[in-house]
Amino acid sequence: MEIYTTIVIRTVLFYVLILVIFRVMGKREIGELSILDLVVFVMIGELAILGIENPKEPSILVAIPMVLLMVIQIILAKISLKSKRFRDLVDGKPTIIINRGKIDEQAMRKQRYNFDDLLTQLREKDIRSIADVEFAILESSGSLSVIERMNNSDGKPKDGDITIPLIIDGNIEEENLTRINKTNLWLRQELKKMGYRDVRKISFCSFENGKFFVDIMDEE
């Protein structure tokens, strides 16, 4: 009887501890979990199970690594906020699967993403035909973001673009500049015309449909 009481108490204890840990780590939807989040969540869950299944093991010996994992995750999350290079290394980058109505088979092969995956995720978004899609972006979380084609009043497809970041956290995204056939020098000259001389002070800059969007870093 004593062992059953111990198991019940430990179950409640670890349940509360996990709630506290997840609350401290922040609210995230399941589909938005990064690889770091997922690894930490799985390890914490496994540790809790081991603690419940081994009632003779002191609870503190299980709680310590759980809290340690929480601290590690918070530290890495802060590094991720300040370093896009670290985010790209851990989470990967979004991949454009359909660009202006054209399927990028090379990008699909690179991501080991097949047509069955594409059609399944399009159906989940109530998209009946690939012909209705202007852009489809495979996010780093594995979800598919879809932008449908827009038509003019005459029924012909309307030209449009997606937001392509050219500067993130003060760093120029050379890969995205290449994607729109522009250069680093072009970007700096255009920004100077608008009065932005120091790229490092720009938190986010994008170029869409011939227009810039620029956001300056907050002063700490």
Side-chain angles (χ1 to χ4, degrees):
M1 187 65 182
E2 182 180 348
I3 190 171
Y4 292 111
T5 303
T6 302
I7 291 176
V8 170
I9 293 174
R10 291 169 73 96
T11 300
V12 174
L13 173 66
F14 287 123
Y15 173 77
V16 173
L17 180 59
I18 288 177
L19 284 180
V20 171
I21 289 175
F22 285 3
R23 183 68 184 85
V24 171
M25 288 194 299
K27 298 178 180 179
R28 300 287 294 275
E29 292 183 11
I30 297 299
E32 296 178 351
L33 292 180
S34 67
I35 294 177
L36 284 176
D37 295 329
L38 187 59
V39 170
V40 170
F41 286 5
V42 170
M43 290 183 69
I44 287 176
E46 289 294 328
L47 284 170
I49 291 172
L50 289 174
I52 294 171
E53 290 180 342
N54 298 280
K56 293 183 179 180
E57 190 80 19
S59 298
I60 189 66
L61 294 182
V62 179
I64 288 176
M66 291 173 67
V67 174
L68 179 60
L69 283 171
M70 178 193 70
V71 173
I72 292 174
Q73 195 274 345
I74 291 174
I75 292 174
L76 293 180
K78 289 185 176 181
I79 295 175
S80 179
L81 283 174
K82 295 183 178 181
S83 172
K84 185 175 186 302
R85 185 173 298 179
F86 181 77
R87 290 199 300 272
D88 291 341
L89 177 64
V90 175
D91 297 334
K93 297 181 179 180
T95 302
I96 298 178
I97 301 298
I98 299 178
N99 190 356
R100 298 184 184 277
K102 176 67 174 70
I103 299 174
D104 191 334
E105 291 87 358
Q106 184 176 353
M108 290 178 65
R109 286 194 293 269
K110 186 177 180 181
Q111 297 298 322
R112 295 183 293 278
Y113 187 79
N114 57 52
F115 280 99
D116 288 334
D117 298 327
L118 176 59
L119 293 173
T120 297
Q121 290 193 289
L122 288 177
R123 286 194 296 270
E124 289 174 350
K125 295 183 176 295
D126 297 325
I127 304 295
R128 297 183 179 184
S129 171
I130 292 180
D132 297 331
V133 179
E134 182 76 6
F135 295 97
I137 302 106
L138 184 64
E139 306 293 354
S140 55
S141 64
S143 62
L144 187 71
S145 298
V146 178
I147 300 174
E148 296 185 64
R149 284 182 181 274
M150 298 179 64
N151 295 327
N152 292 314
S153 57
D154 58 4
K156 294 182 179 180
K158 181 179 179 181
D159 292 333
D161 209 339
I162 57 174
T163 299
I164 297 178
L166 302 182
I167 299 176
I168 297 179
D169 296 334
N171 297 310
I172 295 177
E173 299 294 301
E174 299 288 351
E175 183 178 335
N176 289 339
L177 277 172
T178 303
R179 183 180 296 170
I180 61 173
N181 297 317
K182 300 296 182 180
T183 64
N184 189 304
L185 178 60
W186 169 83
L187 176 60
R188 291 179 181 274
Q189 288 177 338
E190 292 297 316
L191 290 174
K192 283 183 179 179
K193 292 177 184 178
M194 295 185 291
Y196 303 106
R197 297 186 175 277
D198 191 350
V199 172
R200 293 171 297 180
K201 293 182 179 180
I202 298 176
S203 63
F204 184 85
C205 170
S206 64
F207 185 70
E208 181 180 353
N209 297 325
K211 296 182 179 180
F212 282 95
F213 172 82
V214 180
D215 184 73
I216 299 297
M217 290 184 180
D218 296 331
E219 295 184 3
E220 297 182 358

